[in-house]
Amino acid sequence: MRKRVTHRLRGSEDCDPEDFFYICSLSTRVMVYKGMLMPEQLFPYFPDLQRDDFISHLAMVHSRFSTNTFPSWDRAQPLRFMSHNGEINTLRGNVNKMRSREGTLESPAFGPALERSFPVNEPDLSDSGNFDNVLELLLMTGRELPEAVMMMIPEAWQRHPTMDAKKREMYEYFSTMMEPWDGPASIVFTDGTYIGATLDRNGLRPSRYYVTEDDMVIMASEVGVLDIPEESVVSKGRLQPGRMFLVNFEEGRIIDDAELKTRYSDAKPYGKWLEEQRLTIDEIPVPGEVGDLDERSLLARLKLNGFTWEHLREVLKPMAELAKEPLGSMGNDAPLAVLSDQPRMLYDYFKQLFAQVTNPPIDSVRESVIMSLKSYIGPEKNLLVPGSENAHRLMLEEPVITNDQLAALKAIDYRGWTSKTIDICYPVRSGAEGLVAALDRICDETDRAIAEGYSLVILSDRQAGRNAIPLPSLLAGGAIHQYLGKHHKRTQDGLVLVSAEP
């Protein structure tokens, strides 16, 4: 009802496009007070908070300036189920994926009425607001609050040598259904039954807690937010990276992180589902001989794709010899691509978008433990209903594949998976009009491939030559990604890019 009212107001002819409607809550358990206020202004502004009979067993308070968005009333925290200190760096990708999933979402609890709540993420929300909307979707369709938070902010499970096997299997299964909402963040959440907090996998935001002898639990981003007599403190500590701190009011106790995650990892046979359904690229048969590199056309193809001798010498040579990314100077004094008089790669026109001033550097030891390149590709199933079919995806240990593996994917007819190769080149003499027509063509061909049941679409520029010029791989992949996302189909196939670009 709340989302329908919001959508109707936004779609009204009387609604100014700049207006934004945000209904704080229609909950019977939790009341939300928010505003662009200093802490001392909160109680005078909301006089009911000063009444003696206005009593609650919990309070979640957020007082902080905005990091990634311009401050506004509706963006003030807390949200309906959570508040957080930090930022979600992966926000744009998370929102795009959720928009794509709307084409496959089904819920026994809502039936066809579920579509009335779309879009899951309304425009103009902050990173916190988008996170809150997805968390609400998972809750309203049957998941418990701690499980939903574990799905969205998992521990670093891939390279954890001592993690319990069942917990690792649970996190891996979750990764087949949803990508992490990642970034330096301390997330606090409540639905009136639970109140808790979890920390990002890197532990880049502080969260410290006290437990007093009169059963009061206080958690804050810093020590000393409240004056608590030392003699009344029973225990204190800090939240560890990836760990969850949870108070269950129905049970009247703090639930330990290990106990909590054991409960959820034992709830379903995640390991069995993965073993039965997961595909790995090494098990897919390779069809016969795979051709070697054509050295006769090598120089022409290097020129065609914009390679320079500097790139070959300073970048590719160290990578080939040492299997490591080459290191350079700290600064980059090359002119911005948009200001340069020289032809530049399309990639050069883009920069990473996040509030990097608040992110401390990641050292190599932590990076090796926390981060992994393992990922799943291919069609996703229904996020809202857990089952073995969700794990029927292709696991890649790293995003770069070999020619043998590519040949296997091109010819795949295995366990219900097939692929279609789409040429991303266009005639040299067709000019700008030919480029636009090629983008329309590859989007249409990908759409038809999904309708015909192909699991993978392989975008290839191998036909480039004297008469055919390749689309920039970023442009080709981005066009298809945005097209399918707009039509809620991006999660219904996997994309593999074959490109000679540096």
Side-chain angles (χ1 to χ4, degrees), residues 163-296:
M163 180 177 285
D164 176 75
K166 285 191 173 183
K167 186 163 71 168
R168 186 193 307 275
E169 291 162 355
M170 176 185 71
Y171 281 128
E172 183 167 1
Y173 175 80
F174 287 163
S175 74
T176 68
M177 304 173 68
M178 174 179 280
E179 68 293 336
W181 290 65
D182 215 358
S186 174
I187 307 282
V188 183
F189 51 87
T190 185
D191 62 355
T193 299
Y194 301 100
I195 189 167
T198 191
L199 201 58
D200 67 273
R201 67 180 70 189
N202 288 291
L204 298 181
R205 286 295 181 269
S207 286
R208 298 181 178 275
Y209 63 87
Y210 285 0
V211 181
T212 67
E213 59 185 7
D214 57 351
D215 294 330
M216 180 177 288
V217 180
I218 302 153
M219 173 172 279
S221 58
E222 306 293 344
V223 174
V225 172
L226 297 179
D227 294 325
I228 306 296
E230 186 68 27
E231 60 273 12
S232 68
V233 176
V234 176
S235 63
K236 57 184 176 181
R238 69 181 183 90
L239 198 56
Q240 301 292 325
R243 301 295 177 84
M244 185 174 290
F245 182 93
L246 189 75
V247 179
N248 186 327
F249 292 106
E250 290 186 347
E251 298 181 12
R253 67 186 183 101
I254 299 171
I255 301 180
D256 179 69
D257 176 85
E259 177 190 345
L260 180 69
K261 291 173 180 175
T262 298
R263 177 198 303 176
Y264 285 107
S265 61
D266 288 344
K268 293 181 175 63
Y270 296 117
K272 180 181 178 183
W273 288 350
L274 289 167
E275 185 177 350
E276 293 175 348
Q277 297 287 346
R278 176 180 53 202
L279 281 76
T280 62
I281 199 165
D282 293 333
E283 70 184 80
I284 302 171
V286 178
E289 293 290 330
V290 177
D292 292 330
L293 176 68
D294 180 9
E295 295 186 10
R296 295 171 299 176

